[in-house]
Amino acid sequence: MFNRTSLQAAAALASISLLAGCSLFSDGETDGQNKIVVGTTSAPTTLDPAAAWDNSWELYRNVFQTLLSFPTGSTTPQPDAAECKFTDASSKVFQCDLKDGLTFSDGGKLDAQAVKHSIDRIRTINVKGGPSGLLGSLDRVATNGDSTVVFHLKEPDATFPFILATPAMSIVDPEEYPADRLREDGKLTGSGPYVLDSYQERVKAELSKNPNYKGFANRKNDGVTIRYFAESEAMVDALKKKEIDATYRGLTAEEVVDLRERKPANEGLQLVEATGADIRYLVFNAEDASVSKPAVRQAIAQVVDREALVGKVYQGTAEPLYSMVPKGIAGHTTEFFDRFGEPDVDKAEEILRDANIDAPVELTFWFITDRYGSATALEFAELKRQLEASGLFKITLKSKAWKEFQAGYQKGQYPVFGRGWSPDFPDPDNFVAPFVGKDNVHSTPYERPEITEQLLLSRRESDRAAVSKQFEKAQEILAEDVRLLPLWQGKLYVAATEEIAGGERALDPQTVMQMWELERKASW
């Protein structure tokens, strides 16, 4: 989604204002009734961090703390609950010293044991498709007194600090979160900037300032209500009616284009455009007979027209993607274009013929109805149109809401399905490692030893700008296998009323909304 030329640009945000004006911004912690209502189409799947490797992180970042974090403007992890560093030359021992006086929102003590408990339970519970996949390099967690936590790694891993900075590694209260099972009482206890006062699943979350918070976030509002919408149309309508103050995640291309125009209905609104590394792609479950043969997957890659896809569906709010590592991240290539070139039905037909596969090939494509905005249905309709127009495929489209969809793909029920990926951290490793191996994030085993046992050893390299060659090779392999088919990368947008400031600072390098950056302008 970004047009970045370096990792440093991962946090760069450019605002596009529909209305010009002058404002005085409040500075520092607020004391008045400065509450913000934010709308999104991306609702949490669970309130327990041990179970989520998805956009549930949006909520977690605002109510939990992590040892390290990504404050606005940073592209490397910074101290949050602790000061951390590698204590050995081989990047295998990582020590974190907690700040003094940390407590959970209920007054419970946040100490080294709480941190160890939080990380250990992720691996013990080991939710399928959950965040335990991020901890593959971790051997064990040790404590030294109440304030020191030491992570012993199985192998050198310079990306480990980035992993600790993800909301998946949120620190939870051992008194409230069992060591061997998920918390299921519908409540949440953290030590982050806000307290979750109430939660209605897929409806709303009410956040207020955590009076016990000690961290880097400078809260510029007094609280946030997050409203969850099933469709972006209803969300945008609520914004125009001033029922919400801002939106995040789920705007369609048509809605972005509409909001850019100076229409009477848009009076008093602004649009903030944020760079990011969100990508969209297809996943092929090679254990399903319909796509088990590489030739079928390669023929699809030969037919799909990304230019037409983003032009018709996303209207300039996205750009074609020819690599799982997006533009702006070190190691990005255009390997799928280099290998397959422009869409070519004749070449696709030859691929199938050489593999003795009769056309049309019948396939079922699955997509999510409530995760990435209403345009997802249009995107899959266009993919179906393109593939069927070739005469080589017959596509059936099916869809489910995210929670049910997630349960299905984790059981290997879908032969082909669409996914989106927001980076855990701005490093090429995070666009390759989660997708390969037996227990990858898609629950579709993809064992490629050359990647997992050789190329990903680049984690030993502390200079992350020096690992491009390894990831260029990994992308060659991904394009050869076509277990994943990158489609597009786009831009993220925050639409808000003109009274709201901070939208350009609210998205961190993980494209997670830092709600504390939003505030009402004091005056014009």
Side-chain angles (χ1 to χ4, degrees):
M1 308 196 129
F2 318 49
N3 232 343
R4 294 180 298 176
T5 56
S6 67
L7 286 178
Q8 283 69 27
L13 302 170
S15 65
I16 300 176
S17 180
L18 299 181
L19 294 173
C22 301
S23 64
L24 297 174
F25 303 143
S26 59
D27 185 22
E29 300 286 334
T30 63
D31 297 315
Q33 293 300 309
N34 178 16
K35 293 194 173 182
I36 309 294
V37 183
V38 177
T40 179
T41 61
S42 184
T45 56
T46 172
L47 295 184
D48 193 325
W53 196 351
D54 58 28
N55 287 335
S56 300
W57 289 10
E58 208 83 62
L59 180 61
Y60 301 166
R61 175 59 77 208
N62 291 279
V63 294
F64 290 107
Q65 273 185 293
T66 44
L67 294 170
L68 299 168
S69 193
F70 287 102
T72 298
S74 66
T75 55
T76 56
Q78 303 298 316
D80 188 351
E83 297 277 351
C84 304
K85 63 180 180 180
F86 281 106
T87 58
D88 66 330
S90 62
S91 298
K92 291 180 64 177
V93 181
F94 195 67
Q95 179 174 311
C96 293
D97 296 306
L98 293 170
K99 295 178 180 177
D100 295 334
L102 295 176
T103 64
F104 293 102
S105 58
D106 62 0
K109 186 177 180 181
L110 196 169
D111 58 11
Q113 286 298 326
V115 175
K116 175 175 167 58
H117 173 88
S118 301
I119 304 301
D120 284 346
R121 70 187 294 269
I122 294 173
R123 299 201 297 170
T124 298
I125 299 170
N126 194 26
V127 172
K128 190 172 184 180
S132 58
L134 286 167
L135 295 171
S137 65
L138 179 61
D139 180 24
R140 61 187 175 89
V141 185
T143 62
N144 184 4
D146 286 344
S147 61
T148 300
V149 186
V150 182
F151 298 91
H152 296 273
L153 308 183
K154 301 173 187 175
E155 57 204 20
D157 185 359
T159 71
F160 192 72
F162 291 82
I163 293 168
L164 289 182
T166 69
M169 304 300 137
S170 295
I171 306 169
V172 301
D173 187 345
E175 297 297 321
E176 302 290 348
Y177 292 82
D180 58 355
R181 65 186 186 280
L182 298 176
R183 181 177 182 177
E184 297 178 343
D185 62 359
K187 298 181 180 179
L188 185 155
T189 308
S191 60
Y194 298 100
V195 175
L196 181 65
D197 294 325
S198 65
Y199 179 73
Q200 292 176 263
E201 187 175 5
R202 297 185 179 276
V203 179
K204 68 176 179 177
E206 294 282 359
L207 310 182
S208 63
K209 279 185 176 181
N210 176 7
N212 298 325
Y213 175 64
K214 293 184 179 180
F216 71 88
N218 179 14
R219 295 167 294 185
K220 297 176 181 177
N221 56 62
D222 294 315
V224 179
T225 297
I226 306 174
R227 286 184 55 186
Y228 301 111
F229 292 85
E231 299 288 340
S232 61
E233 182 179 358
M235 180 174 69
V236 173
D237 185 59
L239 177 67
K240 292 183 176 182
K241 292 178 179 177
K242 307 301 194 292
E243 294 172 354
I244 61 177
D245 299 304
T247 71
Y248 177 54
R249 289 205 190 277
L251 292 176
T252 65
E254 291 84 355
E255 288 160 348
V256 170
V257 172
D258 174 79
L259 288 166
R260 278 177 173 159
E261 297 180 5
R262 296 178 179 271
K263 297 179 178 179
N266 297 335
E267 184 176 355
L269 301 181
Q270 60 175 314
L271 188 69
V272 174
E273 179 184 305
T275 58
D278 279 25
I279 65 173
R280 298 291 184 270
Y281 54 95
L282 294 178
V283 181
F284 296 96
N285 182 1
E287 295 187 344
D288 189 286
S290 65
V291 289
S292 61
K293 295 181 179 179
V296 173
R297 307 192 300 267
Q298 292 164 358
I300 293 172
Q302 189 65 73
V303 170
V304 168
D305 187 339
R306 295 169 178 82
E307 292 281 358
L309 178 67
V310 299
K312 291 181 179 180
V313 179
Y314 293 103
Q315 301 179 43
T317 62
E319 60 182 311
L321 179 64
Y322 297 96
S323 161
M324 290 302 292
V325 178
K327 184 185 295 186
I329 297 292
H332 165 74
T333 69
T334 56
E335 185 61 35
F336 274 83
F337 184 85
D338 298 343
R339 181 176 292 270
F340 296 101
E342 297 289 351
D344 192 316
V345 173
D346 291 337
K347 288 183 179 179
E349 184 176 16
E350 182 180 354
I351 291 171
L352 293 176
R353 186 172 57 249
D354 288 348
N356 296 315
I357 297 172
D358 295 329
V361 179
E362 296 187 4
L363 298 171
T364 300
F365 280 28
W366 287 83
F367 65 91
I368 305 163
T369 60
D370 63 344
R371 198 99 191 127
Y372 309 122
S374 307
T376 305
L378 301 175
E379 175 180 337
F380 275 76
E382 171 62 15
L383 288 171
K384 173 183 169 72
R385 185 199 67 76
Q386 291 182 13
L387 291 169
E388 290 189 343
S390 72
L392 303 177
F393 299 94
K394 177 64 177 176
I395 308 298
T396 299
L397 297 182
K398 292 188 178 182
S399 62
K400 289 182 178 180
W402 169 247
K403 202 162 188 178
E404 190 178 1
F405 181 93
Q406 185 180 39
Y409 82 70
Q410 289 177 352
K411 295 175 183 177
Q413 294 178 349
Y414 311 144
V416 186
F417 57 97
R419 281 299 307 268
W421 185 255
S422 298
D424 303 321
F425 47 87
D427 187 278
D429 184 278
N430 194 234
F431 291 91
V432 175
F435 308 144
V436 296
K438 182 179 179 180
D439 298 313
N440 63 61
V441 70
H442 300 131
S443 300
T444 55
Y446 178 19
E447 298 187 59
R448 249 310 197 148
E450 186 176 355
I451 296 178
T452 56
E453 297 175 13
Q454 298 179 36
L455 298 175
L456 290 183
L457 292 180
S458 60
R459 289 176 174 175
R460 298 177 178 179
E461 177 59 63
S462 58
D463 180 3
R464 302 309 295 159
V467 299
S468 294
K469 292 297 182 183
Q470 292 93 322
F471 287 100
E472 288 170 7
K473 179 60 179 177
Q475 289 168 87
E476 289 181 16
I477 296 171
L478 294 178
E480 176 186 341
D481 294 345
V482 197
R483 290 291 305 277
L484 306 159
L485 183 65
L487 297 173
W488 57 269
Q489 67 178 98
K491 302 169 185 175
L492 297 176
Y493 294 90
V494 176
T497 68
E498 64 178 5
E499 298 175 351
I500 300 300
E504 73 281 358
R505 291 182 52 81
L507 305 179
D508 72 7
Q510 299 160 311
T511 68
V512 170
M513 175 73 91
Q514 300 179 139
M515 301 292 182
W516 59 83
E517 292 286 357
L518 300 177
E519 63 178 321
R520 294 193 186 282
K521 297 174 182 177
S523 63
W524 283 88

